[in-house]
Amino acid sequence: MSSAPPKTPLPETARLSFAPEEPGSVPLHVVAADDWPDWIAARPEADRRWAEALGFHASLGEVLTLPDGAGGLAAAVVGHGDARARARTRFGIARAVTALPAGVYHLADDLPADARDEAALGWLLAQYRYDRYRKPADAAPCARLRAPAGADAHRLETIANAEALTRDLINTPANDMGPDELEAAFMAVAERHGARAEAIRGADLITANLPLIHTVGGASARAPRLLDMRWGDTGPRLTLVGKGVCFDTGGLNLKPGSSMGLMKKDMGGAATVLGLAQAIMELGWKVRLRVLVPAVENAVSGASYRPSDILTSRKGLTVEINNTDAEGRLVLADALALADEEAPDAMICMATLTGAARVALGADIMPFFTDDDTLATALVAQGARVRDPLWRMPFHEPYEALIEPGIADLDNAPARGLGGAVTAALFLRRFVTEAPLFAHFDIYGWQGSDAPARPKGGQGSGARALIEALPGRLGL
Ligand code: BES
Ligand code: MG
Ligand code: ZN
């Protein structure tokens, strides 16, 4: 393949981890609001009066420290609230990470497994900081948690660090996360896990028959490319495809400033599949994994593709460009067609594909599309259980007509825009004809304001639900 580009690696961030096993950690009690009166009644009178003086009620994430009578810390309590509060706020216990004094804590009582894992994972995720450009004035919070008894600490740490990688990639602005840097990050993950990886760049995309990736990325001074990683040599073939638009100006159909502001996150699909791939490799799944990322910048220049251009895709289907801002489905079309040629057992696509998906479900819930009822049911159930909420949307066949412009096989941007997430999904599905299982996630990749364990900024979604749901469906 082509010669290596200059590498600007993503700076290594501190690994999210549980505190090591050491004597002297502070017992941390997780107490639901309903249980609180009985719980505190069973404590020494001084504790009861102290809690009353502070007005503690065990609301979700509320923190109470209990003194030991000699000026030390005997224990701490974090409120688990009531069922309604827990339904409204995921990872609420993670508020304790910044509210508690520095030190090492351990969960003092047994929690049901799901609540325990949510508390432990939330604790790790709350320790994530994006500090590449500005070191915080105060030291990072250091209320740390020991791995809870009975929990799979390695699995939880792996999942948390996959999410941290996704966040780092999305948070890094486009000047430092262009196609070159996304490639460097991709190669670094491959190298760390002994995966084989290659990149097809610039004009080589034409000889490799990846014309849509070449055309969409052609306006940028930073060469477009396709990143391709393979890992594992036994088990079902699982292929992940992620949209890697490092910045989406909209192209000649330029986005207004208000819509362009967040478009560094338009490689959120690539960031999420790369995090997911890292987790799969670290968890040692018995699969033949492949990861494909079309990495481009949707820029404006004399080399821009235009509305009304008709492009021929790798698969041979012709596409009329009605809007250069519908670029994601174009680069994905070639990547999906390439992936589909070896008929993998399962193909998962993740992309910040449409504004329509956000209008439909908001920032929190990720719509996904699949024809596989078994996977769909598992994804929704597991997503709810691990608090990675997803909702199935339909590949509504009657809308197929909307993506057929007459002058070409496909239209990249149907005129009225109705059902925009569905028509985009139908467009992608046209490029998957051999793989028996296909699912596409129209993700957001962003958290708009600080929430427990979910700081404002880049955000993964769907990956944790997939980690729970895929093994059963693939028969692992
Ligand atoms: N990257 C955007 C979609 C997007 C916008 C995701 C805002 C999340 C938040 C995508 O490339 C795009 O611009 N899509 C257009 C498609 C339309 C022109 C058919 C959209 O959704 O408006
Ligand atoms: Mg766009
Ligand atoms: Zn885009």
Side-chain angles (χ1 to χ4, degrees), residues 111-144:
L111 285 172
D114 284 345
R116 175 200 68 205
D117 286 357
E118 183 186 342
L121 180 65
W123 201 287
L124 295 177
L125 291 173
Q127 287 174 352
Y128 173 83
R129 293 283 174 284
Y130 186 68
D131 58 5
R132 175 162 170 177
Y133 300 93
R134 179 171 172 265
K135 304 296 169 209
D138 53 334
C142 31
R144 299 191 64 201

mmCIF file of all heavy atoms in Angstrom, residues 111-144:
data_model
loop_
_atom_site.group_PDB
_atom_site.id
_atom_site.type_symbol
_atom_site.label_atom_id
_atom_site.label_comp_id
_atom_site.label_asym_id
_atom_site.label_seq_id
_atom_site.Cartn_x
_atom_site.Cartn_y
_atom_site.Cartn_z
ATOM 1 N N LEU A 111 -24.792 -5.245 46.428
ATOM 2 C CA LEU A 111 -25.853 -4.661 45.604
ATOM 3 C C LEU A 111 -26.245 -5.708 44.579
ATOM 4 O O LEU A 111 -25.424 -6.557 44.220
ATOM 5 C CB LEU A 111 -25.329 -3.439 44.848
ATOM 6 C CG LEU A 111 -25.107 -2.131 45.602
ATOM 7 C CD1 LEU A 111 -24.394 -1.128 44.712
ATOM 8 C CD2 LEU A 111 -26.442 -1.573 46.061
ATOM 9 N N PRO A 112 -27.474 -5.660 44.048
ATOM 10 C CA PRO A 112 -27.793 -6.542 42.918
ATOM 11 C C PRO A 112 -26.771 -6.309 41.798
ATOM 12 O O PRO A 112 -26.262 -5.194 41.637
ATOM 13 C CB PRO A 112 -29.190 -6.078 42.494
ATOM 14 C CG PRO A 112 -29.735 -5.324 43.674
ATOM 15 C CD PRO A 112 -28.564 -4.765 44.412
ATOM 16 N N ALA A 113 -26.465 -7.354 41.036
ATOM 17 C CA ALA A 113 -25.341 -7.298 40.080
ATOM 18 C C ALA A 113 -25.437 -6.111 39.120
ATOM 19 O O ALA A 113 -24.446 -5.418 38.877
ATOM 20 C CB ALA A 113 -25.257 -8.607 39.301
ATOM 21 N N ASP A 114 -26.630 -5.852 38.577
ATOM 22 C CA ASP A 114 -26.737 -4.755 37.603
ATOM 23 C C ASP A 114 -26.477 -3.408 38.260
ATOM 24 O O ASP A 114 -25.796 -2.549 37.686
ATOM 25 C CB ASP A 114 -28.114 -4.755 36.924
ATOM 26 C CG ASP A 114 -28.233 -5.859 35.876
ATOM 27 O OD1 ASP A 114 -27.192 -6.421 35.483
ATOM 28 O OD2 ASP A 114 -29.374 -6.150 35.462
ATOM 29 N N ALA A 115 -27.017 -3.205 39.457
ATOM 30 C CA ALA A 115 -26.809 -1.932 40.161
ATOM 31 C C ALA A 115 -25.345 -1.786 40.554
ATOM 32 O O ALA A 115 -24.756 -0.697 40.447
ATOM 33 C CB ALA A 115 -27.702 -1.865 41.393
ATOM 34 N N ARG A 116 -24.741 -2.893 40.979
ATOM 35 C CA ARG A 116 -23.318 -2.877 41.341
ATOM 36 C C ARG A 116 -22.452 -2.505 40.135
ATOM 37 O O ARG A 116 -21.577 -1.631 40.224
ATOM 38 C CB ARG A 116 -22.922 -4.266 41.864
ATOM 39 C CG ARG A 116 -21.442 -4.440 42.168
ATOM 40 C CD ARG A 116 -21.078 -5.911 42.188
ATOM 41 N NE ARG A 116 -21.191 -6.476 40.832
ATOM 42 C CZ ARG A 116 -21.413 -7.756 40.569
ATOM 43 N NH1 ARG A 116 -21.563 -8.624 41.553
ATOM 44 N NH2 ARG A 116 -21.486 -8.182 39.324
ATOM 45 N N ASP A 117 -22.733 -3.135 39.004
ATOM 46 C CA ASP A 117 -21.929 -2.852 37.811
ATOM 47 C C ASP A 117 -22.167 -1.430 37.307
ATOM 48 O O ASP A 117 -21.240 -0.777 36.832
ATOM 49 C CB ASP A 117 -22.227 -3.865 36.704
ATOM 50 C CG ASP A 117 -21.597 -5.222 37.011
ATOM 51 O OD1 ASP A 117 -20.890 -5.339 38.042
ATOM 52 O OD2 ASP A 117 -21.819 -6.163 36.234
ATOM 53 N N GLU A 118 -23.402 -0.943 37.418
ATOM 54 C CA GLU A 118 -23.682 0.438 37.003
ATOM 55 C C GLU A 118 -22.904 1.407 37.898
ATOM 56 O O GLU A 118 -22.310 2.380 37.410
ATOM 57 C CB GLU A 118 -25.182 0.731 37.076
ATOM 58 C CG GLU A 118 -25.506 2.138 36.589
ATOM 59 C CD GLU A 118 -26.968 2.528 36.781
ATOM 60 O OE1 GLU A 118 -27.819 1.640 36.973
ATOM 61 O OE2 GLU A 118 -27.255 3.738 36.734
ATOM 62 N N ALA A 119 -22.889 1.118 39.194
ATOM 63 C CA ALA A 119 -22.159 1.995 40.115
ATOM 64 C C ALA A 119 -20.663 1.971 39.805
ATOM 65 O O ALA A 119 -19.997 3.010 39.743
ATOM 66 C CB ALA A 119 -22.407 1.550 41.560
ATOM 67 N N ALA A 120 -20.136 0.779 39.575
ATOM 68 C CA ALA A 120 -18.689 0.644 39.360
ATOM 69 C C ALA A 120 -18.263 1.246 38.022
ATOM 70 O O ALA A 120 -17.272 1.978 37.938
ATOM 71 C CB ALA A 120 -18.297 -0.832 39.433
ATOM 72 N N LEU A 121 -19.037 0.962 36.980
ATOM 73 C CA LEU A 121 -18.703 1.516 35.660
ATOM 74 C C LEU A 121 -18.868 3.032 35.660
ATOM 75 O O LEU A 121 -18.026 3.771 35.131
ATOM 76 C CB LEU A 121 -19.593 0.883 34.583
ATOM 77 C CG LEU A 121 -19.334 1.373 33.160
ATOM 78 C CD1 LEU A 121 -17.930 0.969 32.689
ATOM 79 C CD2 LEU A 121 -20.395 0.826 32.190
ATOM 80 N N GLY A 122 -19.947 3.493 36.280
ATOM 81 C CA GLY A 122 -20.181 4.937 36.364
ATOM 82 C C GLY A 122 -19.032 5.630 37.092
ATOM 83 O O GLY A 122 -18.604 6.724 36.707
ATOM 84 N N TRP A 123 -18.521 4.964 38.107
ATOM 85 C CA TRP A 123 -17.405 5.539 38.861
ATOM 86 C C TRP A 123 -16.183 5.724 37.956
ATOM 87 O O TRP A 123 -15.536 6.764 37.942
ATOM 88 C CB TRP A 123 -17.055 4.630 40.040
ATOM 89 C CG TRP A 123 -16.300 5.325 41.126
ATOM 90 C CD1 TRP A 123 -14.999 5.730 41.096
ATOM 91 C CD2 TRP A 123 -16.818 5.720 42.396
ATOM 92 N NE1 TRP A 123 -14.668 6.343 42.273
ATOM 93 C CE2 TRP A 123 -15.759 6.351 43.088
ATOM 94 C CE3 TRP A 123 -18.072 5.585 43.016
ATOM 95 C CZ2 TRP A 123 -15.912 6.852 44.376
ATOM 96 C CZ3 TRP A 123 -18.214 6.074 44.294
ATOM 97 C CH2 TRP A 123 -17.147 6.703 44.961
ATOM 98 N N LEU A 124 -15.891 4.696 37.183
ATOM 99 C CA LEU A 124 -14.753 4.787 36.247
ATOM 100 C C LEU A 124 -14.989 5.871 35.202
ATOM 101 O O LEU A 124 -14.099 6.694 34.928
ATOM 102 C CB LEU A 124 -14.532 3.444 35.534
ATOM 103 C CG LEU A 124 -14.111 2.265 36.410
ATOM 104 C CD1 LEU A 124 -14.010 0.995 35.555
ATOM 105 C CD2 LEU A 124 -12.783 2.531 37.105
ATOM 106 N N LEU A 125 -16.178 5.882 34.627
ATOM 107 C CA LEU A 125 -16.464 6.840 33.550
ATOM 108 C C LEU A 125 -16.443 8.282 34.060
ATOM 109 O O LEU A 125 -16.126 9.209 33.311
ATOM 110 C CB LEU A 125 -17.813 6.528 32.902
ATOM 111 C CG LEU A 125 -17.864 5.232 32.075
ATOM 112 C CD1 LEU A 125 -19.292 4.929 31.623
ATOM 113 C CD2 LEU A 125 -16.928 5.319 30.867
ATOM 114 N N ALA A 126 -16.783 8.459 35.328
ATOM 115 C CA ALA A 126 -16.779 9.810 35.905
ATOM 116 C C ALA A 126 -15.355 10.320 36.097
ATOM 117 O O ALA A 126 -15.140 11.514 36.300
ATOM 118 C CB ALA A 126 -17.526 9.818 37.231
ATOM 119 N N GLN A 127 -14.391 9.422 36.064
ATOM 120 C CA GLN A 127 -13.005 9.852 36.227
ATOM 121 C C GLN A 127 -12.379 10.304 34.904
ATOM 122 O O GLN A 127 -11.252 10.777 34.879
ATOM 123 C CB GLN A 127 -12.179 8.720 36.856
ATOM 124 C CG GLN A 127 -12.528 8.584 38.324
ATOM 125 C CD GLN A 127 -11.879 7.403 38.993
ATOM 126 O OE1 GLN A 127 -11.262 6.559 38.354
ATOM 127 N NE2 GLN A 127 -12.041 7.331 40.292
ATOM 128 N N TYR A 128 -13.148 10.171 33.813
ATOM 129 C CA TYR A 128 -12.625 10.608 32.510
ATOM 130 C C TYR A 128 -12.468 12.126 32.487
ATOM 131 O O TYR A 128 -13.344 12.872 32.911
ATOM 132 C CB TYR A 128 -13.583 10.177 31.384
ATOM 133 C CG TYR A 128 -13.165 10.746 30.044
ATOM 134 C CD1 TYR A 128 -12.185 10.123 29.282
ATOM 135 C CD2 TYR A 128 -13.710 11.939 29.561
ATOM 136 C CE1 TYR A 128 -11.771 10.660 28.071
ATOM 137 C CE2 TYR A 128 -13.305 12.484 28.353
ATOM 138 C CZ TYR A 128 -12.334 11.838 27.614
ATOM 139 O OH TYR A 128 -11.919 12.379 26.424
ATOM 140 N N ARG A 129 -11.321 12.586 31.985
ATOM 141 C CA ARG A 129 -11.087 14.025 31.782
ATOM 142 C C ARG A 129 -10.500 14.223 30.390
ATOM 143 O O ARG A 129 -9.646 13.433 29.972
ATOM 144 C CB ARG A 129 -10.048 14.574 32.777
ATOM 145 C CG ARG A 129 -10.469 14.595 34.218
ATOM 146 C CD ARG A 129 -11.423 15.744 34.506
ATOM 147 N NE ARG A 129 -11.943 15.676 35.858
ATOM 148 C CZ ARG A 129 -12.894 14.837 36.267
ATOM 149 N NH1 ARG A 129 -13.422 13.967 35.412
ATOM 150 N NH2 ARG A 129 -13.314 14.829 37.508
ATOM 151 N N TYR A 130 -10.900 15.278 29.711
ATOM 152 C CA TYR A 130 -10.238 15.608 28.451
ATOM 153 C C TYR A 130 -9.359 16.827 28.712
ATOM 154 O O TYR A 130 -9.854 17.958 28.794
ATOM 155 C CB TYR A 130 -11.257 15.892 27.339
ATOM 156 C CG TYR A 130 -10.548 16.094 26.030
ATOM 157 C CD1 TYR A 130 -9.898 15.020 25.415
ATOM 158 C CD2 TYR A 130 -10.469 17.334 25.430
ATOM 159 C CE1 TYR A 130 -9.204 15.186 24.229
ATOM 160 C CE2 TYR A 130 -9.774 17.513 24.236
ATOM 161 C CZ TYR A 130 -9.144 16.432 23.650
ATOM 162 O OH TYR A 130 -8.446 16.598 22.484
ATOM 163 N N ASP A 131 -8.070 16.598 28.866
ATOM 164 C CA ASP A 131 -7.204 17.706 29.302
ATOM 165 C C ASP A 131 -6.027 17.933 28.358
ATOM 166 O O ASP A 131 -4.980 18.426 28.755
ATOM 167 C CB ASP A 131 -6.709 17.468 30.739
ATOM 168 C CG ASP A 131 -5.941 16.163 30.872
ATOM 169 O OD1 ASP A 131 -5.706 15.496 29.834
ATOM 170 O OD2 ASP A 131 -5.584 15.800 32.000
ATOM 171 N N ARG A 132 -6.223 17.575 27.075
ATOM 172 C CA ARG A 132 -5.120 17.741 26.117
ATOM 173 C C ARG A 132 -4.714 19.209 25.957
ATOM 174 O O ARG A 132 -3.548 19.512 25.767
ATOM 175 C CB ARG A 132 -5.531 17.173 24.758
ATOM 176 C CG ARG A 132 -4.492 17.399 23.672
ATOM 177 C CD ARG A 132 -4.711 16.471 22.497
ATOM 178 N NE ARG A 132 -3.872 16.822 21.367
ATOM 179 C CZ ARG A 132 -3.816 16.144 20.226
ATOM 180 N NH1 ARG A 132 -4.567 15.065 20.073
ATOM 181 N NH2 ARG A 132 -3.024 16.519 19.247
ATOM 182 N N TYR A 133 -5.666 20.106 26.029
ATOM 183 C CA TYR A 133 -5.363 21.521 25.745
ATOM 184 C C TYR A 133 -5.379 22.410 26.976
ATOM 185 O O TYR A 133 -5.047 23.578 26.905
ATOM 186 C CB TYR A 133 -6.356 22.069 24.709
ATOM 187 C CG TYR A 133 -6.300 21.302 23.407
ATOM 188 C CD1 TYR A 133 -7.163 20.233 23.180
ATOM 189 C CD2 TYR A 133 -5.343 21.600 22.439
ATOM 190 C CE1 TYR A 133 -7.080 19.506 21.997
ATOM 191 C CE2 TYR A 133 -5.263 20.876 21.266
ATOM 192 C CZ TYR A 133 -6.131 19.828 21.045
ATOM 193 O OH TYR A 133 -6.047 19.104 19.885
ATOM 194 N N ARG A 134 -5.833 21.885 28.082
ATOM 195 C CA ARG A 134 -5.898 22.713 29.283
ATOM 196 C C ARG A 134 -5.854 21.803 30.499
ATOM 197 O O ARG A 134 -6.773 21.028 30.741
ATOM 198 C CB ARG A 134 -7.203 23.506 29.296
ATOM 199 C CG ARG A 134 -7.379 24.388 30.503
ATOM 200 C CD ARG A 134 -8.589 25.293 30.296
ATOM 201 N NE ARG A 134 -8.900 26.010 31.511
ATOM 202 C CZ ARG A 134 -9.808 25.598 32.401
ATOM 203 N NH1 ARG A 134 -10.514 24.508 32.189
ATOM 204 N NH2 ARG A 134 -10.009 26.298 33.506
ATOM 205 N N LYS A 135 -4.736 21.891 31.222
ATOM 206 C CA LYS A 135 -4.624 21.072 32.421
ATOM 207 C C LYS A 135 -5.487 21.716 33.502
ATOM 208 O O LYS A 135 -5.397 22.917 33.733
ATOM 209 C CB LYS A 135 -3.165 20.995 32.897
ATOM 210 C CG LYS A 135 -2.206 20.479 31.834
ATOM 211 C CD LYS A 135 -2.493 19.027 31.424
ATOM 212 C CE LYS A 135 -1.705 18.632 30.176
ATOM 213 N NZ LYS A 135 -2.340 17.615 29.339
ATOM 214 N N PRO A 136 -6.322 20.951 34.164
ATOM 215 C CA PRO A 136 -7.171 21.553 35.200
ATOM 216 C C PRO A 136 -6.317 22.152 36.322
ATOM 217 O O PRO A 136 -5.269 21.596 36.672
ATOM 218 C CB PRO A 136 -8.007 20.387 35.717
ATOM 219 C CG PRO A 136 -7.361 19.160 35.194
ATOM 220 C CD PRO A 136 -6.511 19.519 34.023
ATOM 221 N N ALA A 137 -6.779 23.298 36.852
ATOM 222 C CA ALA A 137 -6.032 23.975 37.909
ATOM 223 C C ALA A 137 -5.985 23.089 39.159
ATOM 224 O O ALA A 137 -4.936 22.930 39.795
ATOM 225 C CB ALA A 137 -6.680 25.315 38.224
ATOM 226 N N ASP A 138 -7.131 22.502 39.499
ATOM 227 C CA ASP A 138 -7.152 21.590 40.655
ATOM 228 C C ASP A 138 -6.803 20.194 40.164
ATOM 229 O O ASP A 138 -7.091 19.826 39.029
ATOM 230 C CB ASP A 138 -8.518 21.614 41.330
ATOM 231 C CG ASP A 138 -9.633 21.352 40.312
ATOM 232 O OD1 ASP A 138 -9.413 21.648 39.123
ATOM 233 O OD2 ASP A 138 -10.685 20.840 40.701
ATOM 234 N N ALA A 139 -6.181 19.440 41.039
ATOM 235 C CA ALA A 139 -5.807 18.073 40.664
ATOM 236 C C ALA A 139 -7.076 17.274 40.373
ATOM 237 O O ALA A 139 -8.155 17.603 40.856
ATOM 238 C CB ALA A 139 -5.034 17.436 41.805
ATOM 239 N N ALA A 140 -6.948 16.242 39.557
ATOM 240 C CA ALA A 140 -8.091 15.397 39.225
ATOM 241 C C ALA A 140 -8.713 14.868 40.517
ATOM 242 O O ALA A 140 -8.014 14.665 41.506
ATOM 243 C CB ALA A 140 -7.623 14.245 38.347
ATOM 244 N N PRO A 141 -10.034 14.644 40.505
ATOM 245 C CA PRO A 141 -10.677 14.139 41.718
ATOM 246 C C PRO A 141 -10.098 12.779 42.063
ATOM 247 O O PRO A 141 -9.821 11.985 41.165
ATOM 248 C CB PRO A 141 -12.142 14.008 41.315
ATOM 249 C CG PRO A 141 -12.115 13.895 39.833
ATOM 250 C CD PRO A 141 -10.945 14.706 39.367
ATOM 251 N N CYS A 142 -9.875 12.526 43.312
ATOM 252 C CA CYS A 142 -9.269 11.235 43.599
ATOM 253 C C CYS A 142 -10.031 10.451 44.640
ATOM 254 O O CYS A 142 -9.433 9.767 45.450
ATOM 255 C CB CYS A 142 -7.780 11.371 43.897
ATOM 256 S SG CYS A 142 -7.341 12.902 44.654
ATOM 257 N N ALA A 143 -11.369 10.553 44.584
ATOM 258 C CA ALA A 143 -12.172 9.567 45.307
ATOM 259 C C ALA A 143 -12.195 8.344 44.414
ATOM 260 O O ALA A 143 -12.853 8.325 43.381
ATOM 261 C CB ALA A 143 -13.575 10.097 45.552
ATOM 262 N N ARG A 144 -11.424 7.332 44.783
ATOM 263 C CA ARG A 144 -11.334 6.152 43.935
ATOM 264 C C ARG A 144 -12.078 4.989 44.567
ATOM 265 O O ARG A 144 -12.281 4.959 45.783
ATOM 266 C CB ARG A 144 -9.860 5.792 43.685
ATOM 267 C CG ARG A 144 -9.117 6.931 42.973
ATOM 268 C CD ARG A 144 -7.765 6.497 42.500
ATOM 269 N NE ARG A 144 -7.865 5.458 41.485
ATOM 270 C CZ ARG A 144 -6.865 4.615 41.196
ATOM 271 N NH1 ARG A 144 -5.716 4.710 41.863
ATOM 272 N NH2 ARG A 144 -7.012 3.709 40.258
#
